[in-house]
Amino acid sequence: MRWLIAFSLLFTVVTVQADGGPHPDTPGKAAIASAHPLATAAGFEILDQGGNAFDAAIAVAAALAVVEPYSSGMGGGGFWLLHRHKDGFETMVDAREKAPGAASATMYQDKDGKVVRDRAINGPLAAGIPGQAAAFDYMARHYGKLPLKTSLAPAIRLAEQGFEVEDHYRTLTGYRVDVLNRYPAAARVFLDHGKVPDAGYRVRQPDLAKVLQAIADKGRAGFYQGPVASKLVKGVRAAGGIWTLQDLNNYQVKERKPIVGHFRGGRVVSAAPPSSGGIVMLEALNILSQFNGGEISEDLLPHLTVEAMRRAYQDRARYLGDPDFVDMPVDKLLSDSYAKQRAASIDLDHATPSSDLGKPITVQEGHHTTHFSVLDQDGNVVSTTMSVNLPFGSGFMPAGTGVILNDEMDDFSSKPGSPNAYGLVGSHANAIAPGKRPLSSMSPTFVDFGDRLAILGTPGGSRIISMVMLGVMEAANGKPVDDWVSRVRFHNQYLPDEVQAEPAFMDTAAAKSLRLRGDKVVSVGRRYGNMQAILWDRKHHAVTAASDPRGIGHATVRAVQPR
Ligand code: GLY
């Protein structure tokens, strides 16, 4: 942090920075970037009623549960990275799903020890105990200013009145129409007579509205106890799942100390385990920093970025899991000496085959999730990534709840040490155990460069981490926020041993330079990610925000209504 002195001047706190100029200490405007315009509007509705960023975050998350049901929801979980302006306090609220008490390491294997993929991703057995309602309750009680009755009101209204289907909804529903059709309660809500609804069709969710109302009235007890809990458990068990009332009642969020590191003068704050995001991104950035402090020529940058990713993702697979269950060498992974050692194994002229780096272990992850970023006019910050895992999670909805359950259990390694359906294997650190949280890649992040604050994150399974890393590198280069969200993306996750890239990357000079060094560069066939980002430029007293052009999201920056 390069701030030297903070003092009051005519009721405005200003900060003097190392570059000499005085900077107002609060943005004066608010910004929200989310994956759906109705969710961004819900957040502003709450700011306009006197809520802070934390209240607005609850409103955005709840609205996304309604209008983006394929990405996140009351049947899922997430990580909420917070910065409170008045005292600089920062924390991560871990609302990741937990394995039910009856879960076991081999629960997705058949009698011959073969992993049954369908069980791990579809239906109630695939669902962890959700954390979302507990997050709302916790956020409101510890950080917000408004009651849940107020912050959940926009989402309840959206669930009752419905929202219109558009092309994005149709695409995501198309991926999961067969699974949704297995479960009548889900099919009734999200399909039109068993088919993907036409654009303009209205999705109404009266049962979900009632669940949200129960949380608004009773806090966490409205979801984890009483009639809602009974319906959830009854529905799950009737369809072959293993949840109990005790599992729900026992669920608690946990505050975790965020992962903090530095890159090119910026203080990077990101998600802690059970997310792998902060550790993997910072290990990779630390490796890059070994080369001229991270200021790398255009020709070498793609190669070094890929090699840094390759090494950091290898360590993800080797070491990371739920910190309540496994000891992880976090200090070592984030140390400068370790980054030096990892960087020393990089050949500037040749790609390192992943197999040369040691044991081939990695994990498989889902592809649908959501992120939003909030900055309020007082400088409070929220960066939240949430998920139900695959589109529409497990596809299962217990009757009478309107809650689509996650399939986050698939983020565990279903069979540690052996290849899964995709030829990948996972480590023991991420094996299934009762009450354990599956390893995640969700990487809500902010970076404080002193004169600029960047807030960013994205969905995208295991590619989340590399996308956020590329976004941080754009921010470090002083690029505008639109560039962070729209840049062409490439990715290496150690295994498979290839650079996965968007089609637009394939003919670039960067792709050529990777191929020349021996990398296999493959197009993933479509654009990926849905980054939501905010930049507070303290030096120029400007706030800008952007929503990824790949999605249908919306970013708004404006003054809030006078209170
Ligand atoms: N299910 C996506 C993640 O947690 O990384």
Side-chain angles (χ1 to χ4, degrees):
M1 190 74 68
R2 296 184 296 144
W3 304 351
L4 300 178
I5 313 167
F7 58 94
S8 288
L9 178 69
L10 293 174
F11 306 110
T12 308
V13 182
V14 296
T15 305
V16 176
Q17 305 212 353
D19 59 13
H23 306 157
D25 191 47
T26 56
K29 280 180 190 160
I32 299 177
S34 90
H36 201 289
L38 292 169
T40 300
F44 266 99
E45 186 176 324
I46 294 311
L47 290 176
D48 285 338
Q49 290 179 49
N52 59 18
F54 312 119
D55 297 305
I58 297 168
V60 174
L64 287 170
V66 177
V67 300
E68 221 202 358
Y70 38 82
S71 291
S72 69
M74 303 317 299
F79 300 116
W80 305 57
L81 191 67
L82 316 181
H83 173 92
R84 188 169 57 202
H85 185 75
K86 68 174 184 210
D87 56 3
F89 174 74
E90 55 199 18
T91 189
M92 182 184 93
V93 176
D94 169 2
R96 180 73 162 161
E97 298 88 336
K98 292 176 84 164
S104 67
T106 53
M107 65 190 277
Y108 298 115
Q109 297 173 26
D110 65 14
K111 60 178 182 8
D112 302 319
K114 197 163 162 272
V115 174
V116 184
R117 295 293 311 150
D118 188 63
R119 255 194 246 164
I121 59 172
N122 299 319
L125 201 58
I129 304 301
Q132 195 75 326
F136 291 179
D137 176 79
Y138 192 89
M139 289 286 295
R141 282 191 294 112
H142 290 81
Y143 299 107
K145 287 161 59 180
L146 301 178
L148 283 175
K149 271 190 196 335
T150 308
S151 47
L152 294 183
I156 294 170
R157 196 179 63 230
L158 284 168
E160 280 167 351
Q161 295 178 355
F163 68 94
E164 275 189 15
V165 164
E166 30 56 46
D167 286 347
H168 194 62
Y169 179 99
R170 299 191 77 242
T171 306
L172 275 292
T173 310
Y175 294 147
R176 299 290 273 163
V177 68
D178 292 344
V179 177
L180 290 168
N181 267 320
R182 285 190 207 171
Y183 304 112
R188 262 196 302 278
V189 176
F190 298 119
L191 302 177
D192 181 7
H193 297 91
K195 300 226 162 50
V196 175
D198 289 337
Y201 178 90
R202 236 179 153 70
V203 177
R204 289 196 171 80
Q205 300 174 79
D207 287 337
L208 182 60
K210 284 187 203 131
V211 168
L212 289 166
Q213 190 61 56
I215 299 164
D217 293 340
K218 300 197 181 102
R220 72 183 302 286
F223 186 88
Y224 296 97
Q225 295 165 5
V228 172
S230 297
K231 278 184 202 166
L232 289 169
V233 170
K234 194 173 160 216
V236 162
R237 295 189 78 88
I242 54 174
W243 288 15
T244 63
L245 284 172
Q246 203 183 359
D247 287 331
L248 283 172
N249 197 25
N250 285 348
Y251 185 90
Q252 299 287 347
V253 301
K254 274 214 163 173
E255 286 206 36
R256 314 257 186 205
K257 220 164 139 259
I259 295 294
V260 177
H262 293 87
F263 181 66
R264 295 187 57 190
R267 182 173 176 276
V268 182
V269 183
S270 191
S275 173
S276 59
I279 293 175
V280 173
M281 177 170 62
L282 272 156
E283 183 183 332
L285 290 172
N286 287 345
I287 294 172
L288 282 185
S289 297
Q290 304 308 314
F291 300 89
N292 195 32
E295 285 189 57
I296 300 163
S297 69
E298 229 172 84
D299 175 52
L300 260 185
L301 188 61
H303 173 57
L304 293 182
T305 305
V306 162
E307 294 304 318
M309 287 175 183
R310 187 194 309 279
R311 285 156 177 78
Y313 271 92
Q314 181 193 27
D315 285 335
R316 177 197 198 279
R318 286 205 281 212
Y319 300 117
L320 303 186
D322 181 346
D324 295 340
F325 284 73
V326 286
D327 283 332
M328 292 170 276
V330 177
D331 289 345
K332 172 187 145 180
L333 294 177
L334 297 179
S335 69
D336 194 51
S337 55
Y338 187 64
K340 266 196 183 67
Q341 184 195 320
R342 295 298 257 165
S345 69
I346 297 177
D347 177 339
L348 293 187
D349 299 320
H350 300 100
T352 310
S354 289
S355 56
D356 283 8
L357 293 177
K359 265 195 166 176
I361 41 177
T362 186
V363 294
Q364 179 227 347
E365 284 200 69
H367 299 286
H368 285 281
T369 297
T370 193
H371 178 86
F372 67 88
S373 298
V374 183
L375 170 72
D376 71 18
Q377 63 281 10
D378 298 322
N380 297 306
V381 176
V382 182
S383 183
T384 299
T385 313
M386 315 177 294
S387 186
V388 287
N389 203 23
L390 295 179
F392 291 97
S394 64
F396 179 71
M397 178 186 283
T401 67
V403 175
I404 194 91
L405 302 187
N406 69 85
D407 57 357
E408 221 71 72
M409 292 292 286
D410 195 48
D411 276 349
F412 281 118
S413 307
S414 291
K415 191 176 180 189
S418 296
N420 67 11
Y422 294 85
L424 304 171
V425 283
S427 83
H428 185 73
N430 192 31
I432 304 170
K436 191 174 175 183
R437 289 169 155 99
L439 187 62
S440 170
S441 294
M442 293 189 284
S443 313
T445 295
F446 31 84
V447 190
D448 196 332
F449 294 97
D451 58 352
R452 286 166 293 137
L453 177 73
I455 310 161
L456 69 161
T458 180
S462 59
R463 294 189 200 120
I464 290 175
I465 308 170
S466 62
M467 282 189 264
V468 176
M469 178 181 169
L470 293 173
V472 169
M473 289 161 71
E474 294 288 328
N477 275 336
K479 292 282 174 57
V481 66
D482 288 300
D483 288 14
W484 320 348
V485 303
S486 59
R487 66 153 296 153
V488 176
R489 293 171 175 146
F490 61 95
H491 168 84
N492 178 287
Q493 61 177 37
Y494 168 62
L495 287 180
D497 189 353
E498 61 192 21
V499 177
Q500 300 166 357
E502 294 188 314
F505 184 77
M506 298 306 284
D507 290 328
T508 59
K512 278 179 207 135
S513 86
L514 291 174
R515 282 192 204 100
L516 271 177
R517 289 177 168 90
D519 273 305
K520 180 177 164 203
V521 184
V522 296
S523 168
V524 301
R526 59 183 171 84
R527 303 201 298 167
Y528 62 83
N530 196 5
M531 186 171 279
Q532 311 297 328
I534 297 172
L535 170 64
W536 173 17
D537 181 343
R538 295 190 182 102
K539 194 162 163 184
H540 300 100
H541 198 32
V543 178
T544 47
S547 182
D548 201 312
R550 297 161 182 83
I552 57 161
H554 190 71
T556 301
V557 180
R558 68 162 168 84
V560 300
Q561 303 291 327
R563 279 165 256 154

